Amino acid sequence: MYFGLSEEQSFFQDNVKKYLEEHATIDNIKHITSGDEKNLSEEIHQGLLNLGINGLLIPEEFGGLGLDLLFAAVVSEALGGGVGPTPFIAPYVMAPIAIMHAGTKSQQENYLSKIATNEFRFGVGFSEFIGKRNDAGITFSDNALNGRAMFVLDVNDATHLLLADEKGQIFVVDAKSSNLEIVQLTTVDKTRQYSEVICTNLEVELLENSSDSIEPIKQAIDAGRIMLAADSLGASQTMIDKAVDYAKERKQFGRAIGSFQAVKHMCAEMAADLEPCYALVWHAAHCHDHSPDEARLMACHTKAHVSEMSKGIAKKATEVHGGMGFTDLLGLHYWFKRIGLNRQILGSPELVREEAYKTQV
Amino acid sequence: MDLEYGPEYQDFTKEVQDFCKKYKGISFTGGSNTPLASSGGSGGPEMSRSEWQKILIENGYFARSVPKEYGGYGGEVDILKNRIIASEFSKSKTPGPMGGQGIDMLVPTLLEMGTEEQKQTYIKPTLHGEMIWCQGYSEPNAGSDLASLQTKGELIGDEWVINGQKIWTSTAQYSQMCFCLVRTEPDAPKHAGISYLLIPMDTPGIEIRPLVDMTLNAGFNEVFFTDVKIPATNIVGKRGEGWAVANATLGHERGSLAPPDATMNRVNMLMHLMEKETLDGKPLIEHPIYRDRLMQIQGKVLAQQSHALRLLSAKLNPGADVKIGKMIQKLIGTELRHELEGLAIDVMGEIGTLYEDSPHLRNDGTWQFIYMYFLGLIIGGGTSQIQKNIIAERGLGMPKEPKVEGA
Ligand SMILES: Cc1cc2nc3c(=O)[nH]c(=O)nc-3n(C[C@H](O)[C@H](O)[C@H](O)COP(=O)(O)OP(=O)(O)OC[C@H]3O[C@@H](n4cnc5c(N)ncnc54)[C@H](O)[C@@H]3O)c2cc1C
C-alpha cells in the first residue's frame, strides 16, 4: 500500500513550481492583471507547454503522455500556488476528458491529437448544465446552437470551444465563427479569463456519444472540480506560508506577532484545516481513474470541502498580515481572489454537496 | 420593559416621516469620495451633497445637539430623537448625512476637549462637509501597538516641527486636515509621551502617497512629514495627553464602523435580490439551503439590533452594566457584515464574483466590494484579535499577557 505522489508526479510538480517562481513573479502577475502586458501571459503559457502540460491526459495513441488525473491535479496545485496566469483546466483537462468520453473514434483522433500538438486549444462552457442563472441557457435544434453561456473558461486564444446545453450534450464550436459573440467578463480574479458567449444560429458539431448520455459531461465536470480544488489547495498553502513567514518577522509590542497565541492559533487552525485536503484531492483524483463507483462522490466533496477550508484560510491569512494583508503591496489578494473564484465556478459548495448526496440514492 | 418612547415622540416621528416623504427619491450631483456612500435614489429633487448636509442640519436631523455657534442645530441632547431620525431615514431609504473621520471622530473630540477657538474654527466647516479630515495614528511599526508610534514633534518657538511617517491614513489624499498622534515627550513613558495635533494637509513638507488596497481602490495612503511646521496652538488637550484624547475618539470609531441597521438594510436588499434571481428557473429564495443561511444571518442581525436598543437604554438609564456589551460591537458588527456580503456572493454563484464594470453585475457589484472592504474593517480600527484581548482583559478581567522587557 502506498498513499501519496509518485516520484514522477513530485518531479513534474517541482518543475512547474520552479518555472512559475521564475516567470510568474509577483511583478509579472501585477502587469498581467492590470492588462498592460498582454503577451506575458502567453509567454508563460508557452513555457508550460514546453513542459508538456497540454498532453498530460491525452492517450499515447493520440500523441499525448497518457497519464492519470493525479498528474494533472499536482499541476493544478502548483498553478494555484503560484497564481499561474495561464489556461489549464479547460483546455488540457476538461476538454480532453470530454472528447475522450463523448467523441467518436474519428472525433477523438481529430481533436485530441491536435490538442497534443498545440494546434487546437479549447475553451469550455458547461455552466448552464450545472446550474442555469437568469437569462442564460443554450438550446440545440436543427443542428444549430442558440442562447447564452456564462462563465466560459479560457476563451481568449482558444481555437475552439466546447459548449453544452442543459441536457448535457457537448458541442464543438469554431471560436472564430461569426455567429459567436464573445464578451469578456470582469471578475475579482484577474489571473484567469472568464467570458460570456452568445450563439445565434451557430453551426456546431455534436460530440456524438453525449447525445444519449450525460456521463461524458459529468466526467469532464468531475475532473474540472478536482482541478479547482487542487488549485485552491495550492493557493491556500501559499497563503499559509506567507502568513507564517510574516508572523515570524513582524514585531509589535516588542515581540514577533507569531508569539501571540491568537496569531499562532490562527496559523495552526489554517494548517489543520488544509492538511487533510492534500489527501482528499489526491484520493479524489485517483478514484476518478481507478475507482469509478466512488469517483463522483469524491469529486463533489473535494470541490466543496476544499472550497470551504480555503475561504476560511484566505480570510485568516489576510488577517495575520494586518493592514498589510489588505493592500496591493504584497499582492496577497491575488490568492484570496483566486480562491474566491474557484469556490463559485463549476458549482458552488451548496450545489455540489447536493449532487454528492444524489450520487448515493 | 417599555419600548414606547412616549407621546411627545409621536409628533416628532411624524415630523421626520413628513420630511423624508418630501425628499423622497433625492439624488446627488457630483460623485462621492467613498464608494460606500449612497448616491441617492431617483425621481426626487437633485442637489449637491453639501446642500443636503445643510438642509439636514437646519432641520435638526444631523448635528442636532451641536451648538448653533459651531454650525450645529443647537437642540437639546436627545438620544431618542437621534434614534427616531436614524430609523425613519433608514426605513424610507432617505440618504443620511455625510460621515467620515472628521465628523464621526474629530467633532466629538473637540466638543469634549477642544479649546473655544478650535471649536469655532473647525467644527462648522467639518459638519458642513467642507473640511475633510484624516486620522493620522498608525505607523509602519505602530499598528496594534499604536502607543509605540515614533513620528516626532518638537516645540520650537511657537511652532510644532513634525518629522516622521504615517501609514494606512484613509482619505488623506482628499483631506484638508489631519488629526494626528505625535511623540512630543521622548523621555516620558510610552503612553505619556504622545500629543494630539491638528495638521493642515497643505503645510509644506507633507507628502502623500496613495496605497491601493485589495478592492483596487486607493482607500488609504502613506503620509510623510519632513520639517512640517504648524502653530503651537494646534494641539488638543495638553502635551503628553494625546493618548487619552485619542482613546476618546477610538471609542467613537469602534461604535460606528458596522451599525446593525445598515447590515439589516443589506439583508433586506439580499432578500429582494434572491426573490428575483433564479437558479434553474427557481427563485434563489426558494432554495431551502440559501434561505436558511439568510435567515440565520437575519437572526444574528436582529440580535445586534436588539442589543443596540439595550445600549441606547443604558445611555438613558444610567446604572445598567453594558461594559462588555459596548466592547463587543466592533468585533461582532464587522464580522457579521463580512459574512453577509459573502453569503450574497455564494447565492449568486459565479455571477457573484463579477466586479468593476463587468456586464451582468448585480447591485453594481457592491457585494464583492463590501465583502473585501469589510475584511479591511475587521483589521482596521483595532483588529478582531485586539478586540478579543480587550474583551477578555478589560471586560472579563482575565490576566494580561506578560509584557516583554522594554516594550
Ligand atoms: C481599511 C483600513 C483603514 C485604515 N484606516 C486608518 C486610518 O485612517 N488611520 C490610521 O491611523 N490607521 C488606519 N488603519 C490602520 C489600522 O488601524 C491598523 O491596520 C490596525 O490597527 C492593525 O495594525 P497593523 O496593520 O500594523 O497590523 P499588526 O499590528 O502588525 O497586526 C498583525 C497581526 O498581528 C495580530 N496582533 C498584533 N498584536 C497582537 C496582540 N497583542 N495579541 C494578539 N494578536 C496581535 C493582529 O491582530 C494581526 O492579526 C486602517 C487599516 C485598514 C485595514
Side-chain angles (χ1 to χ4, degrees):
Chain A
M1 189 269 181
Y2 174 72
F3 188 105
L5 302 181
S6 69
E7 254 179 57
E8 293 81 13
Q9 285 157 353
S10 299
F11 181 73
F12 197 88
Q13 187 184 47
D14 282 345
N15 282 343
V16 176
K17 278 188 186 164
K18 268 187 216 132
Y19 179 81
L20 288 174
E21 271 163 29
E22 277 167 35
H23 297 88
T25 59
I26 195 77
D27 281 344
N28 281 347
I29 300 286
K30 282 186 182 171
H31 285 307
I32 290 166
T33 54
S34 63
D36 61 3
E37 279 278 5
K38 294 255 183 294
N39 295 331
L40 208 50
S41 156
E42 193 49 32
E43 268 171 43
I44 292 171
H45 184 235
Q46 269 306 323
L48 291 169
L49 288 178
N50 293 342
L51 295 178
I53 59 162
N54 51 328
L56 289 179
L57 300 181
I58 294 180
E60 282 169 303
E61 55 174 319
F62 302 121
L65 299 169
L67 298 166
D68 44 21
L69 195 69
L70 185 51
F71 239 98
V74 300
V75 172
S76 199
E77 184 202 325
L79 286 168
V83 282
T86 143
F88 176 68
I89 295 175
Y92 309 132
V93 178
M94 293 181 75
I97 289 178
I99 294 165
M100 244 142 25
H101 286 88
T104 59
K105 199 80 198 161
S106 74
Q107 286 174 323
Q108 291 178 351
E109 170 76 52
N110 183 28
Y111 295 118
L112 293 178
S113 57
K114 287 182 179 140
I115 295 175
T117 56
N118 197 33
E119 282 164 83
F120 287 175
R121 196 191 297 174
F122 280 83
V124 173
F126 292 171
S127 301
E128 282 57 44
F129 174 75
I130 296 167
K132 188 168 72 79
R133 302 275 163 177
N134 297 27
D135 46 81
I138 294 275
T139 51
F140 179 63
S141 61
D142 302 329
N143 218 35
L145 278 192
N146 279 289
R148 179 197 307 274
M150 290 293 285
F151 282 83
V152 185
L153 306 174
D154 299 329
V155 172
N156 303 24
D157 296 314
T159 57
H160 296 76
L161 308 181
L162 288 184
L163 296 180
D165 67 3
E166 290 152 46
K167 290 188 222 124
Q169 302 190 90
I170 307 174
F171 308 93
V172 178
V173 173
D174 177 353
K176 302 284 171 297
S177 166
S178 56
N179 292 8
L180 191 68
E181 190 194 337
I182 296 173
V183 182
Q184 197 79 29
L185 299 173
T186 307
T187 74
V188 278
D189 170 30
K190 297 194 170 62
T191 62
R192 290 172 300 183
Q193 312 149 355
Y194 310 90
S195 309
E196 167 189 6
V197 164
I198 302 158
C199 314
T200 323
N201 293 324
L202 178 68
E203 265 191 46
V204 291
E205 177 188 345
L206 173 70
L207 289 180
E208 287 180 23
N209 297 334
S210 66
S211 70
D212 55 359
S213 166
I214 56 168
E215 199 44 33
I217 193 168
K218 288 239 171 192
Q219 287 281 340
I221 291 170
D222 288 346
R225 286 176 175 163
I226 297 168
M227 293 305 110
L228 290 168
D231 196 276
S232 283
L233 172 67
S236 296
Q237 185 64 59
T238 301
M239 290 194 87
I240 296 176
D241 293 345
K242 284 177 189 284
V244 170
D245 286 349
Y246 191 79
K248 289 177 187 165
E249 289 196 355
R250 169 75 174 166
K251 288 207 169 65
Q252 285 290 275
F253 302 97
R255 53 198 260 197
I257 57 166
S259 71
F260 291 114
Q261 211 161 56
V263 174
K264 235 192 290 250
H265 282 190
M266 279 202 280
C267 293
E269 280 162 17
M270 290 192 278
D273 282 344
L274 194 66
E275 207 53 32
C277 293
Y278 280 94
L280 188 63
V281 167
W282 297 342
H283 198 176
H286 178 79
C287 287
H288 185 85
D289 292 321
H290 303 288
S291 190
D293 290 350
E294 299 165 89
R296 183 136 313 134
L297 179 68
M298 290 294 294
C300 289
H301 274 310
T302 301
K303 167 74 161 71
H305 180 71
V306 179
S307 294
E308 300 288 20
M309 294 304 104
S310 300
K311 181 183 178 184
I313 289 167
K315 173 174 184 265
K316 278 189 194 135
T318 306
E319 286 186 80
V320 168
H321 285 80
M324 205 45 107
F326 187 61
T327 53
D328 187 44
L329 290 173
L330 297 181
L332 200 67
H333 63 98
Y334 293 116
W335 284 266
F336 182 97
K337 292 167 180 174
R338 183 131 168 160
I339 287 169
L341 260 289
N342 289 344
R343 180 180 172 90
Q344 306 302 344
I345 48 186
L346 302 184
S348 56
E350 280 84 4
L351 299 189
V352 180
R353 279 192 290 259
E354 179 70 15
E355 267 188 69
Y357 174 70
K358 287 195 179 137
T359 66
Q360 300 167 79
V361 287
Chain B
M1 261 307 179
D2 172 12
L3 296 182
E4 292 306 321
Y5 293 160
E8 71 272 31
Y9 290 103
Q10 280 165 8
D11 291 347
F12 184 73
T13 307
K14 176 81 179 39
E15 183 198 312
V16 181
Q17 285 167 345
D18 289 345
F19 176 87
C20 293
K21 240 180 248 152
K22 180 172 165 196
Y23 288 99
K24 196 176 162 52
I26 179 178
S27 63
F28 298 121
T29 49
S32 71
N33 61 7
T34 108
L36 285 180
S38 158
S39 57
S42 61
E46 194 183 296
M47 65 182 73
S48 73
R49 264 255 163 215
S50 56
E51 277 172 275
W52 179 237
Q53 194 85 343
K54 279 179 200 135
I55 292 174
L56 292 176
I57 296 173
E58 276 161 23
N59 286 274
Y61 298 150
F62 171 60
R64 189 173 175 84
S65 55
V66 177
K68 264 208 161 71
E69 60 207 288
Y70 307 143
Y73 173 74
E76 297 279 295
V77 177
D78 190 328
I79 297 168
L80 285 181
K81 284 190 174 165
N82 287 345
R83 167 81 201 168
I84 290 166
I85 296 163
S87 87
E88 291 305 325
F89 271 58
S90 167
K91 269 190 236 159
S92 60
K93 301 205 168 66
T94 307
M98 280 184 266
Q101 289 169 323
I103 287 169
D104 297 335
M105 300 174 70
L106 190 265
V107 169
T109 306
L110 287 185
L111 284 171
E112 216 172 304
M113 291 177 252
T115 63
E116 187 54 33
E117 196 196 334
Q118 286 165 347
K119 291 180 194 173
Q120 297 281 359
T121 315
Y122 298 119
I123 295 181
K124 185 171 178 191
T126 305
L127 290 177
H128 286 237
E130 288 149 9
M131 183 181 278
I132 314 277
W133 291 75
C134 57
Q135 174 201 39
Y137 288 4
S138 306
E139 296 179 5
N141 291 315
S144 296
D145 184 12
L146 183 58
S148 68
L149 60 94
Q150 291 302 333
T151 294
K152 203 171 68 172
E154 268 181 295
L155 193 61
I156 300 178
D158 55 2
E159 284 179 330
W160 289 108
V161 181
I162 300 154
N163 281 286
Q165 185 202 338
K166 295 290 171 182
I167 193 170
W168 318 128
T169 324
S170 303
T171 71
Q173 71 269 52
Y174 319 109
S175 296
Q176 284 78 42
M177 294 290 296
C178 177
F179 53 98
C180 198
L181 289 182
V182 172
R183 184 159 304 281
T184 54
E185 326 300 314
D187 302 326
K190 151 166 158 176
H191 292 82
I194 296 168
S195 297
Y196 189 106
L197 303 183
L198 307 177
I199 306 177
M201 292 300 280
D202 59 1
T203 315
I206 297 182
E207 190 197 338
I208 301 166
R209 291 190 207 148
L211 286 174
V212 174
D213 63 47
M214 73 187 289
T215 70
L216 303 183
N217 292 294
F220 42 35
N221 304 266
E222 291 177 287
V223 182
F224 297 86
F225 300 88
T226 316
D227 291 330
V228 171
K229 299 190 178 95
I230 60 163
T233 51
N234 282 21
I235 181 171
V236 183
K238 295 205 182 69
R239 285 179 71 146
E241 284 183 0
W243 188 251
V245 180
N247 269 314
T249 38
L250 271 183
H252 289 290
E253 179 180 36
R254 285 175 183 166
S256 67
L257 278 178
D261 287 352
T263 309
M264 193 56 103
N265 283 342
R266 291 293 279 180
V267 167
N268 292 333
M269 200 166 163
L270 179 54
M271 205 179 324
H272 188 64
L273 184 69
M274 287 169 66
E275 285 158 3
K276 284 193 318 198
E277 294 289 315
T278 59
L279 177 62
D280 292 328
K282 195 163 108 178
L284 285 168
I285 198 76
E286 285 169 26
H287 289 256
I289 339 164
Y290 291 135
R291 182 152 82 194
D292 184 59
R293 280 185 66 190
L294 180 66
M295 290 301 101
Q296 281 191 41
I297 291 186
Q298 191 180 46
K300 291 188 200 174
V301 185
L302 262 181
Q304 294 192 4
Q305 280 184 318
S306 304
H307 183 66
L309 284 176
R310 180 178 167 209
L311 294 183
L312 175 70
S313 161
K315 279 192 197 163
L316 295 167
N317 308 284
D321 180 7
V322 288
K323 189 167 110 188
I324 296 176
K326 279 201 251 173
M327 284 176 184
I328 61 169
Q329 277 180 293
K330 197 256 165 183
L331 175 69
I332 63 171
T334 50
E335 297 280 357
L336 182 57
R337 183 73 184 270
H338 176 74
E339 185 189 346
L340 168 67
E341 304 288 330
L343 169 63
I345 297 169
D346 274 358
V347 302
M348 287 186 281
E350 297 151 319
I351 301 276
T353 67
L354 295 174
Y355 200 51
E356 293 177 332
D357 54 357
S358 181
H360 305 294
L361 284 182
R362 306 295 201 266
N363 302 117
D364 301 326
T366 48
W367 301 105
Q368 187 67 61
F369 174 80
I370 301 178
Y371 178 64
M372 295 188 285
Y373 185 83
F374 261 79
L375 183 50
L377 290 192
I378 283 172
I379 296 165
T383 66
S384 281
Q385 294 72 41
I386 294 297
Q387 301 306 315
K388 288 178 195 171
N389 286 351
I390 293 172
I391 295 164
E393 292 172 6
R394 290 186 223 157
L396 303 171
M398 300 174 86
K400 289 197 165 213
E401 295 231 11
K403 278 226 162 73
V404 168
E405 206 62 35

